[in-house]
Amino acid sequence: MRISTPNFHNLIKNPLVIIIPLLAISLLLLFLPLKLSNQIKATCVTPIRPLQWATCFCSNSASNFFDKIISPWRDAQAKKQLEEQISQLTNKIIEQQDTIYKLQNKLSMLSKFQIEDKNVKTSVIPADIIGYDTSNFRKSITINAGSKQGVKVNHIVVSNNTLIGRIITVGSGSSMVQLITDPASRIPGRILQTREQVIVEGNATAFCQLKYIPRWAKLKEGDDIVSSDIGGLYPPSLPIGTVMQNEIKGGALFRSVKVLPMVNISKIESVLVLTN
């Protein structure tokens, strides 16, 4: 009679054939003395230690490799964020400095006017320039003060105690100022040094000119021109400009006189409107 040998494939098809021995081995290891159990563990672990070491080495190497690749990108992103933050802070500082400068300029201009004209009962309205006339033939500015603030037509406008123009149009919250450089502007004035009466006229440039100055007038470059109260529109003694060029052309009856305004209007930001 032939005894048949169990087929391995048939054995593994039955789960109990594998589970029961594993449970038996586990129970055996559980109740073994600690010293013997540790020896068995060490004996089982020893063959796979090289594999563990190789796995750890590969893992660490891969981690270091990816860190080297990603680190520059991460540093670049962090640098970019820092640069953006610095740029934003710089812009805020510049904005605050600009605001402080405007306020200081207004306070200085108002204080200076009150000190120099403390004996004159004149009230003023501070205003900011909010627009410039882009025309090549007219010279005017727009300010952010109007009828609500008490501004009226023909009120005089000054900056740094220097005459720059007069109000010609008034809105509820803004007004237009005709500058002394406008061709339609004609201001009665006097030569400070000689006291001669003159007319200051604009010529649509950054300069003005004097009209009807006779050939024999004692006038020289560097003479100062101030406003005159003749006509009752302008207050007296407001600085206007300085004689920059003084010529006699051919047989002309009058001198050709070029005047440089005391204030560079393109650089000012605030003005004062004289209400009286």
Side-chain angles (χ1 to χ4, degrees):
M1 182 178 178
R2 180 181 295 179
I3 300 173
S4 62
T5 303
N7 191 348
F8 179 74
H9 294 288
N10 293 330
L11 290 175
I12 62 176
K13 288 181 180 180
N14 188 355
L16 294 176
V17 176
I18 298 175
I19 294 173
I20 291 174
L22 289 177
L23 289 174
I25 294 172
S26 300
L27 292 173
L28 179 63
L29 292 174
L30 183 63
F31 292 103
L32 284 176
L34 183 60
K35 185 176 180 180
L36 180 61
S37 175
N38 289 336
Q39 289 180 353
I40 294 173
K41 290 179 181 179
T43 303
C44 295
V45 169
T46 300
I48 63 173
R49 279 181 180 174
L51 181 61
Q52 290 178 337
W53 179 85
T55 303
C56 291
F57 176 79
C58 292
S59 177
N60 292 333
S61 299
S63 178
N64 293 333
F65 175 75
F66 285 112
D67 283 341
K68 290 180 180 179
I69 293 176
I70 297 175
S71 180
W73 178 81
R74 188 185 298 118
D75 293 342
Q77 293 296 318
K79 182 180 179 181
K80 184 178 180 181
Q81 291 178 355
L82 289 174
E83 289 177 348
E84 290 178 353
Q85 292 176 358
I86 292 172
S87 178
Q88 292 175 357
L89 291 174
T90 302
N91 292 339
K92 288 182 179 179
I93 291 173
I94 293 174
E95 182 180 351
Q96 293 297 325
Q97 288 176 340
D98 184 56
T99 302
I100 292 171
Y101 173 79
K102 288 180 179 178
L103 293 175
Q104 289 177 339
N105 186 41
K106 284 184 180 179
L107 181 61
S108 174
M109 183 171 58
L110 185 58
S111 300
K112 184 178 179 181
F113 181 84
Q114 291 176 345
I115 290 173
E116 295 190 6
D117 296 298
K118 59 184 177 181
N119 295 325
V120 180
K121 295 182 179 180
T122 301
S123 59
V124 297
I125 301 173
D128 293 329
I129 297 174
I130 58 175
Y132 289 87
D133 187 357
T134 58
S135 171
N136 293 327
F137 303 100
R138 295 296 176 190
K139 296 294 179 181
S140 63
I141 58 175
T142 303
I143 60 175
N144 63 348
S147 58
K148 290 182 178 179
Q149 290 75 29
V151 178
K152 296 180 180 179
V153 173
N154 287 333
H155 277 171
I156 306 305
V157 181
V158 300
S159 178
N160 296 324
N161 279 9
T162 300
L163 177 64
I164 66 168
R166 67 182 180 91
I167 301 294
I168 57 173
T169 303
V170 178
S172 60
S174 63
S175 302
M176 181 176 292
V177 180
Q178 181 188 62
L179 300 176
I180 61 174
T181 53
D182 189 279
S185 172
R186 290 174 177 80
I187 304 168
R190 289 189 183 274
I191 305 299
L192 183 63
Q193 287 77 5
T194 66
R195 309 308 298 166
E196 289 185 80
Q197 184 73 31
V198 295
I199 299 294
V200 183
E201 185 181 75
N203 60 5
T205 67
F207 304 95
C208 299
Q209 59 191 12
L210 298 185
K211 299 290 288 185
Y212 313 119
I213 304 298
R215 294 171 61 94
W216 57 84
K218 295 179 180 180
L219 186 69
K220 62 182 182 297
E221 294 181 9
D223 284 350
D224 296 318
I225 303 167
V226 297
S227 63
S228 171
D229 57 355
I230 292 179
L233 181 59
Y234 294 90
S237 304
L238 282 177
I240 298 177
T242 304
V243 175
M244 182 180 180
Q245 186 177 339
N246 179 26
E247 296 178 342
I248 301 177
K249 297 181 179 180
L253 295 177
F254 302 102
R255 291 173 177 265
S256 175
V257 183
K258 190 176 184 179
V259 177
L260 176 66
M262 289 286 189
V263 173
N264 187 344
I265 299 174
S266 64
K267 291 185 178 181
I268 63 175
E269 297 176 313
S270 303
V271 298
L272 296 178
V273 181
L274 310 186
T275 60
N276 294 332

